[in-house]
Amino acid sequence: MAHRVLTRTLRGWARTPVTARIAIIYLLSRLVTTGFFALAAAGSNLGSRFGADPALGDYALGWDAQWYWTVAVFGYPTTLPVNEAGQVLENAWAFMPVYAHLAQLVGLGDWAAGAVLVSLVSGLLACLVLHRLLRPRIGAAAALWAVAFFASGPLAALFQVGYAESLFVLLLLVALDLVSRHRYGWLYLLIPVMGFTRPGVLAFALFLGLHGISRWLVRERHPLLPKDVVHIVALGALTTLVGFSWQAIAGLVTGEPGAYLQTELSWRRNWLSDPSAAFIPFEGFVRGAEFWAGQWGMPSWAGWVILALLVAGAGYALLRARSVRRLGLDIRLWSASYLLYLLAVFFPQSSTFRLLIPLTPLAGALAVPRARAYRWGVLLVCLLLQWAWILVMYGSAQTYWQVP
């Protein structure tokens, strides 16, 4: 009897339109995440940043969500806040305007409701686009599993809080899908929106350059039309302009040419007692390797070795791993571009895992093996890591060491 019920259920699932299946997976995942948030809230205490018995809405508005709310309600400061030493303090210039104001618009003045709704809907749409992006590469079934890993992954809580990542990933996946199909026209509208949603669009400029080179190298087998060359070059220039424009805007409004970079560097003083006064590419990860080696009781050189091994491992996976190669060249080029961007601009700390979410297309590599036990095992690991992330970043949340 049970076997017949299971068989009928599986047949019904197979006949369900793929859009509905993705929506069901996403809805079930959100219910699980809500349960995790409720458990974290129940175990919260006065030592937590959120206090004892916080409401789910408190979590939705926690951490960086407060900065986006500040942007929506108060805008950006015309004078940079500084400490007694004259160093720029943390301020709203580190947060882009699109998500903040879209949440205000959608919420009809109730920013919190608008922010959660934008994140929820963006996550669902991102799942649909991810399936569309991966299906021609790894097959429909594997693409659906990749969606399940994404919707239930370690960072899935971001679909239910006031962070811009959900919207940015949606825009990014659409952009990658358009590039992979050589449909460049819509990117002229999409890239500026993406660029003013959250930092990272400069990585897309590098990706477009590498995409253009890759198409040039195989032009004898796959013709490269002159109009496509024009599009790729023009879009690369546009993306670079958008990527640097926020720095110019911050400088013009505040009268401080380095306003944006100084704002970003202000967060490093939470970790380093002597951060550099100026931005130096790649210094963040080098200093971060030294810092974390010290925290773990190791010499600085051990941190450098660990960093080198991580970089080498990522490079090997993108170049040689069979499951990653199945995803196609464009996804691998984007992943390499974004990882290089992070190495150049970021200081590794508790937000590192969140900043890896633009690598979402790599979820397809986890779904390539067909063994049923393996796929269910990966899904279980995703859920366990999600619970751990929510518990640490929201349930405990005592210090700046636990910032999502």
Side-chain angles (χ1 to χ4, degrees):
M1 178 61 123
H3 176 71
R4 275 190 234 160
V5 172
L6 178 61
T7 301
R8 281 198 298 268
T9 301
L10 292 175
R11 286 176 179 171
W13 176 255
R15 289 194 295 267
T16 303
V18 67
T19 300
R21 278 185 277 171
I22 291 172
I24 292 170
I25 289 171
Y26 185 73
L27 176 60
L28 292 175
S29 300
R30 300 289 59 76
L31 292 175
V32 171
T33 299
T34 301
F36 286 161
F37 271 130
L39 287 173
S44 186
N45 55 52
L46 293 176
S48 167
R49 178 186 177 102
F50 296 95
D53 299 319
L56 296 185
D58 296 328
Y59 286 158
L61 289 175
W63 300 117
D64 285 359
Q66 286 291 306
W67 285 111
Y68 286 111
W69 172 81
T70 298
V71 169
V73 176
F74 300 106
Y76 296 93
T78 55
T79 301
L80 293 176
V82 296
N83 59 19
E84 294 179 356
Q87 298 169 317
V88 175
L89 296 173
E90 300 167 356
N91 64 85
W93 282 109
F95 301 89
M96 305 300 187
V98 168
Y99 176 82
H101 290 293
L102 180 59
Q104 185 78 345
L105 179 65
V106 170
L108 301 177
D110 184 343
W111 191 87
V116 172
L117 184 58
V118 170
S119 292
L120 279 171
V121 173
S122 296
L124 173 58
L125 295 176
C127 288
L128 293 170
V129 181
L130 178 64
H131 188 272
R132 173 183 168 87
L133 178 67
L134 294 178
R135 186 181 59 216
R137 295 165 169 80
I138 61 176
L144 195 61
W145 275 101
V147 167
F149 299 157
F150 173 51
S152 304
L155 282 302
L158 294 173
F159 297 132
Q160 297 177 220
V161 296
Y163 273 62
E165 269 70 17
S166 185
L167 177 60
F168 182 82
V169 169
L170 167 61
L171 299 171
L172 171 66
L173 292 174
V174 172
L176 289 174
D177 185 61
L178 290 171
V179 171
S180 68
R181 296 172 188 272
H182 305 162
R183 299 175 61 181
Y184 301 107
W186 285 104
L187 290 171
Y188 291 98
L189 298 176
L190 189 61
I191 284 172
V193 179
M194 187 165 64
F196 288 102
T197 297
R198 69 175 302 279
V201 76
L202 284 174
F204 200 80
L206 174 58
F207 160 67
L208 285 171
L210 295 175
H211 167 78
I213 292 171
S214 68
R215 289 203 62 190
W216 175 264
L217 292 176
V218 298
R219 65 191 183 280
E220 293 183 359
R221 284 179 287 139
H222 303 283
L224 177 59
L225 301 177
K227 68 173 184 177
D228 286 351
V229 174
V230 173
H231 279 311
I232 293 169
V233 172
L235 287 168
L238 173 64
T239 309
T240 303
L241 178 64
V242 170
F244 285 107
S245 63
W246 191 243
Q247 296 181 38
I249 292 170
L252 287 172
V253 172
T254 62
E256 297 287 342
Y260 174 71
L261 291 178
Q262 288 302 312
T263 296
E264 289 287 2
L265 289 173
S266 68
W267 264 267
R268 293 189 188 181
R269 285 196 293 274
N270 291 327
W271 306 86
L272 299 176
S273 59
D274 60 338
S276 298
F279 170 73
I280 303 172
F282 299 102
E283 184 202 33
F285 258 89
V286 174
R287 294 291 305 275
E290 297 170 350
F291 172 82
W292 287 109
Q295 295 299 311
W296 298 330
M298 298 185 294
S300 295
W301 63 263
W304 302 335
V305 170
I306 293 172
L307 176 60
L309 289 174
L310 288 173
V311 172
Y316 177 83
L318 293 176
L319 289 172
R320 304 297 300 171
R322 184 178 300 177
S323 59
V324 177
R325 290 173 65 88
R326 283 278 304 275
L327 302 179
L329 185 58
D330 281 331
I331 289 177
R332 292 158 61 209
L333 290 177
W334 159 250
S335 301
S337 299
Y338 186 71
L339 287 172
L340 183 62
Y341 167 80
L342 284 185
L343 284 172
V345 305
F346 190 59
F347 177 86
Q349 30 90 350
S350 60
S351 297
T352 301
F353 301 106
R354 172 172 59 85
L355 295 185
L356 293 177
I357 201 168
L359 297 175
T360 288
L362 292 179
L366 295 175
V368 167
R370 295 184 178 182
R372 182 177 299 176
Y374 162 83
R375 287 172 167 172
W376 282 106
V378 171
L379 183 59
L380 177 61
V381 170
C382 286
L383 291 170
L384 291 174
L385 290 176
Q386 182 188 159
W387 163 241
W389 193 80
I390 290 174
L391 180 63
V392 171
M393 299 300 179
Y394 289 92
S396 300
Q398 290 97 346
T399 71
Y400 65 84
W401 297 77
Q402 295 164 282
V403 180

